[in-house]
Amino acid sequence: MSTRIVVVGGGTAGARLAQRLPVTLLGEEPHAPYNRVLLADVLAGRYAPEVIALPGTLEPVRLGTRAVRIDRAARTVECADGSLVGYDRLVLATGSNPVLPPLRGLRGAALPAGVHPFRTLDDCLELRALVRPGVRAVVIGGGLLGVSAARALAERGADVVLTQQGERLMERQLDEHASALLREHVEALGVEVHTECRVSGLRQRDGAVTAVELADGFVLDAQVVVLACGVRPRVALAREAGLSVATGIVVDDELRTSDPAIHAIGDCAEHAGRVYGLAGPALDQADVLADVLADVLAASVVGNRSAGAERVGTTDGTLAGASAPRAWTRTASASPSGCGQAQEPSAPARAPSRVPTRPAQRDDCPHGADAPTTDSAPRYKGTRALTRLTLGGPRPLDLAAFGQVTAEPGDDVVQLTDSTRSAYRKVVVRGDRLVGGVLLGDLAAVGALARAWEGDEALPDEAPLLHLLTHDGGSS
Ligand SMILES: Cc1cc2nc3c(=O)[nH]c(=O)nc-3n(C[C@H](O)[C@H](O)[C@H](O)COP(=O)(O)OP(=O)(O)OC[C@H]3O[C@@H](n4cnc5c(N)ncnc54)[C@H](O)[C@@H]3O)c2cc1C
């Protein structure tokens, strides 16, 4: 019997899985899988779209193919073009949808011309076509996405206003001082930053945006508006199929949903109550699931061998036969290749990977689901993700942040500031553990800090805490 693995979503997580296993990958976007993290560089004109392509998948991706319905009883996925794709294991890697804020003038199905979220390569290419020197652009949202978009638009010569409802930029990741330095950097590029500023509506003429209305009564002229107000896991397909959904699609340590034949990974998945919305965890989850499914494929190979089946490899995500190709064997964790400077170094806590094959624990159920879990089974235990961002261009700025960057009573804080170089480094230590940190402008210590934090190990007694910020651990 062959095991057919179908993946819905050709983004960071889905493409990573398809690089390691022979799967049928259904991708709604018309482009070959690309690195979303580098979209701001495409918007800024630093990279051509083809430069951000992800490494190739083992089987061709079915581009422009949207899955619209899952029939769990028949184990089929229905696509928007009417085709049906059968599966034994289904993987949902549907990512996130941008949040559209409840603004006057933004109700109804279509966005006014000039108004774009910042999620896909198409968003980016459409924005790129609109932006010329002198165009007035308003970016709504001062988080990581909004800051990257504002920076990129300014680099293309637009007059950019960045509006942030909160008190400071990137407030989820940065402390007050780092936010202030980031603001200085962005303003030095000519971006006008408004914090504690609520946008209440959009004005339009002939279907195109003309201005942004603020809650305090001010009106900002705008020919281009970028919506960077956060994302929400894309769960409609799962919910309609009756899978358990909280904020994201609920998965266990083997990335299984409430239906053991269906898995979910990446932005759409919720593991241990957490939805990450970051590339590093999406890659980690894809790697763990590749190990889980490699065992399922290996088991089906053994099943076929004992049934006397001939070796057959197909191009539709099915695989039958006697020996597993190298690509889908379980291996030591692959590096997050193809993800550029804004990538998350990450440490998935999981059982050590080992080379297959594990025929003794093959699935009992006819579809390969409901496999008994053994202690050596690959498991996802969460990712300690470090947010890292490079704002490129003529005056690049690097920043990295992780964990809790604001100290609680009793915490130790070590902080170094170099105002002439706009550099800032800070770590928060609780007991003998590193619980958070932020680096801006000088990332020499990031490798050593990331290792200490991701490993969650006790800090050495003998080293002064200042060492954490001045010692690069050979990573620079
Ligand atoms: C501009 C930008 C900058 C970012 N910067 C960073 C950063 O610096 N660091 C970081 O860690 N993260 C960053 N992120 C977030 C990161 O890109 C995501 O966390 C990551 O891409 C999640 O991967 P994913 O595979 O879960 O989802 P995605 O990469 O979004 O892929 C999901 C794919 O599924 C497709 N899809 C959805 N539904 C269907 C369907 N029904 N049928 C077929 N296909 C479907 C979608 O079209 C999409 O192509 C950034 C995101 C953006 C947009």
Side-chain angles (χ1 to χ4, degrees):
M1 188 191 71
S2 57
T3 298
R4 298 162 303 165
I5 300 173
V6 174
V7 181
V8 179
T12 309
R16 175 61 155 247
L17 192 64
Q19 284 153 22
R20 295 195 48 196
L21 299 176
V23 300
T24 299
L25 180 55
L26 309 175
E28 159 196 69
E29 296 188 59
H31 310 281
Y34 58 87
N35 186 351
R36 211 169 290 286
V37 165
L38 296 178
L39 282 180
D41 295 287
V42 175
L43 179 57
R46 261 192 306 283
Y47 294 156
E50 29 320 337
V51 172
I52 66 166
L54 289 173
T57 51
L58 295 183
E59 303 292 344
V61 184
R62 279 182 60 179
L63 299 175
T65 306
R66 187 160 59 88
V68 293
R69 207 175 73 86
I70 301 165
D71 183 335
R72 287 168 52 197
R75 297 203 185 212
T76 55
V77 176
E78 183 184 336
C79 302
D81 62 8
S83 60
L84 284 183
V85 184
Y87 67 85
D88 298 308
R89 292 284 180 121
L90 177 63
V91 180
L92 299 176
T94 50
S96 302
N97 277 326
V99 170
L100 299 185
L103 304 179
R104 235 184 348 268
L106 200 61
R107 298 191 183 110
L111 295 176
V115 179
H116 283 275
F118 188 36
R119 181 75 199 171
T120 65
L121 184 53
D122 278 346
D123 291 333
C124 198
L125 296 176
E126 284 164 31
L127 279 167
R128 223 165 85 153
L130 291 173
V131 177
R132 304 172 299 283
V135 157
R136 294 196 58 91
V138 175
V139 178
I140 305 178
L144 183 145
L145 273 190
V147 168
S148 312
R151 172 87 170 74
L153 293 170
E155 225 177 292
R156 291 185 77 84
D159 287 341
V160 186
V161 178
L162 174 59
T163 63
Q164 158 73 326
Q165 193 161 334
E167 285 174 16
R168 48 196 177 76
L169 298 180
M170 287 185 68
E171 56 191 351
R172 278 181 52 204
Q173 291 92 2
L174 304 182
D175 68 353
E176 237 168 89
H177 191 73
S179 276
L181 287 174
L182 176 63
R183 179 173 182 155
E184 268 173 33
H185 173 84
V186 172
E187 286 178 337
L189 300 167
V191 175
E192 197 178 308
V193 179
H194 295 253
T195 48
E196 296 179 80
C197 166
R198 193 168 68 78
V199 172
S200 56
L202 300 178
R203 289 186 186 169
Q204 49 182 298
R205 192 180 316 120
D206 301 328
V209 69
T210 56
V212 168
E213 297 170 344
L214 305 182
D216 61 11
F218 275 95
V219 176
L220 303 167
D221 287 342
Q223 292 145 287
V224 171
V225 172
V226 179
L227 304 171
C229 306
V231 293
R232 210 170 271 135
R234 210 164 153 177
V235 295
L237 206 54
R239 185 173 276 131
E240 280 155 23
L243 299 176
S244 171
V245 172
T247 303
I249 306 166
V250 177
V251 293
D252 65 10
D253 292 357
E254 288 180 57
L255 288 320
R256 281 182 307 202
T257 67
S258 51
D259 177 340
I262 305 181
H263 300 261
I265 51 174
D267 279 11
C268 68
E270 177 170 333
H271 175 264
R274 254 190 105 173
V275 173
Y276 288 92
L278 289 169
L283 292 168
D284 289 342
Q285 291 172 6
D287 283 340
V288 173
L289 184 58
D291 285 347
V292 169
L293 295 176
D295 280 358
V296 173
L297 286 172
S300 76
V301 166
V302 170
N304 283 323
R305 184 194 277 156
S306 46
E310 285 188 17
R311 182 178 178 199
V312 182
T314 71
T315 54
D316 64 353
T318 68
L319 199 127
S323 61
R326 177 86 186 103
W328 57 271
T329 56
R330 269 169 64 178
T331 58
S333 172
S335 66
S337 55
C339 282
Q341 84 271 33
Q343 193 44 261
E344 314 288 315
S346 55
R350 56 173 133 145
S353 284
R354 54 191 175 78
V355 178
T357 46
R358 200 163 55 92
Q361 280 111 26
R362 65 153 306 174
D363 297 350
D364 290 324
C365 101
H367 294 289
D370 303 322
T373 296
T374 64
D375 284 347
S376 63
R379 294 214 176 85
Y380 179 69
K381 297 285 187 196
T383 300
R384 296 197 128 211
L386 183 132
T387 301
R388 193 167 167 172
L389 181 65
T390 295
L391 297 169
R395 280 190 54 219
L397 178 75
D398 284 318
L399 67 85
F402 57 94
Q404 292 179 38
V405 295
T406 305
E408 290 179 8
D411 290 346
D412 289 314
V413 176
V414 193
Q415 198 166 307
L416 290 176
T417 309
D418 177 350
S419 349
T420 48
R421 291 166 55 218
S422 288
Y424 174 62
R425 285 172 273 173
K426 169 182 168 182
V427 287
V428 180
V429 175
R430 187 167 304 150
D432 62 359
R433 306 283 148 148
L434 187 61
V435 293
V438 54
L439 302 172
L440 200 119
D442 177 356
L443 264 50
V446 74
L449 286 176
R451 278 191 295 280
W453 187 68
E454 289 167 359
D456 192 27
E457 283 160 13
L459 297 169
D461 282 342
E462 67 280 5
L465 287 180
L466 192 60
H467 248 138
L468 288 169
L469 291 180
T470 51
H471 175 65
D472 67 10
S475 66
S476 57

